[in-house]
Amino acid sequence: MINKKSLLLLLFTFLISVMLVACNDDSDAGGSSNESGNESDTETNDNNSEEPYEISIVTNSYTPEPPTPESPAWQAIEDFTNTKLDITYVPSSNYEERFNITLASGDLPSMILTNKTSSFINAVQDGAFWDLTDHLADYENLSQLNDIVKNNISIDGSVYGLYRARPLGRMAVTIRKDWLDNLGMEIPTTTDEFYDVMYAFTHDDPDGNGQNDTVGTIVSEYPGPWDIMQTWFGVPNKWGD
């Protein structure tokens, strides 16, 4: 089980990591005076005078060679946050199995990546994870988390993790503008217009070759496109956005 000290430090570490780029940008822009720069150096030295705090993480990997402790980015995060990271990367193909084994072992890391699965819900109800609900408001960035998404990831009205935000427009439908021009049609802006375009692309020979060889739409096996299309009808995508 994650103790409260780990919880508070993890939240602090998360915020510091988010601020890293902004702090570097301010420094590069020359917005700090020598005096403020010296103060920053002093604070950093004071922080690093303490022993690094060890944080263990289990997450998935989509690449055969995930980052290692020798990575410059890994080392920079450790130096800036005064932490010692122990990250276990699990191939995404068998991550759910490894997640369940980790839960069953009772030896949980400080942080673990999970979806809202039945295994996770049962573990929460058994007291394996800390309730973060009352702590989020204490942090500037975490207090701005989307209330709708927080509600969707909540269990019995409480939040037990931080969601991974995705922009709503990260995927889109690609359409053949040349076919629209050939048929004298405009880019559709409603679901009815989109249907009319798909029908015309299928039946009205948009490529002009006189053959019945076109289709209205092609959707990949990956479910992402359906996430987009269902939002057109007021249905949230699987992230709850």
Side-chain angles (χ1 to χ4, degrees), residues 128-149:
F129 295 92
W130 280 98
D131 182 351
L132 306 182
T133 310
D134 294 336
H135 298 281
L136 300 179
D138 297 334
Y139 299 87
E140 180 180 359
N141 292 326
L142 299 183
S143 65
Q144 300 177 46
L145 295 177
N146 186 292
D147 289 335
I148 296 177
V149 182

Side-chain angles (χ1 to χ4, degrees), residues 30-41:
S32 301
S33 66
N34 289 335
E35 181 178 357
S36 62
N38 292 336
E39 291 174 352
S40 176
D41 291 342

Side-chain angles (χ1 to χ4, degrees), residues 39-153:
E39 291 174 352
S40 176
D41 291 342
T42 301
E43 292 174 0
T44 301
N45 291 335
D46 289 343
N47 182 53
N48 289 336
S49 65
E50 301 178 2
E51 287 296 319
Y53 192 87
E54 296 184 3
I55 298 178
S56 57
I57 302 172
V58 173
T59 186
N60 63 0
S61 173
Y62 294 97
T63 62
E65 297 182 5
T68 67
E70 289 71 36
S71 164
W74 186 311
Q75 294 176 2
I77 293 174
E78 286 187 331
D79 290 343
F80 191 84
T81 58
N82 194 32
T83 56
K84 182 64 176 177
L85 300 179
D86 177 14
I87 305 178
T88 300
Y89 287 98
V90 180
S92 58
S93 57
N94 64 336
Y95 185 80
E96 184 173 355
E97 178 184 0
R98 176 63 179 273
F99 176 79
N100 291 332
I101 292 174
T102 302
L103 287 182
S105 72
D107 184 18
L108 297 181
S110 306
M111 302 174 65
I112 188 168
L113 176 67
T114 180
N115 291 319
K116 193 177 178 181
T117 62
S118 58
S119 298
F120 175 62
I121 294 174
N122 291 335
V124 165
Q125 294 173 339
D126 288 340
F129 295 92
W130 280 98
D131 182 351
L132 306 182
T133 310
D134 294 336
H135 298 281
L136 300 179
D138 297 334
Y139 299 87
E140 180 180 359
N141 292 326
L142 299 183
S143 65
Q144 300 177 46
L145 295 177
N146 186 292
D147 289 335
I148 296 177
V149 182
K150 282 195 300 182
N151 180 66
N152 288 337
I153 67 171

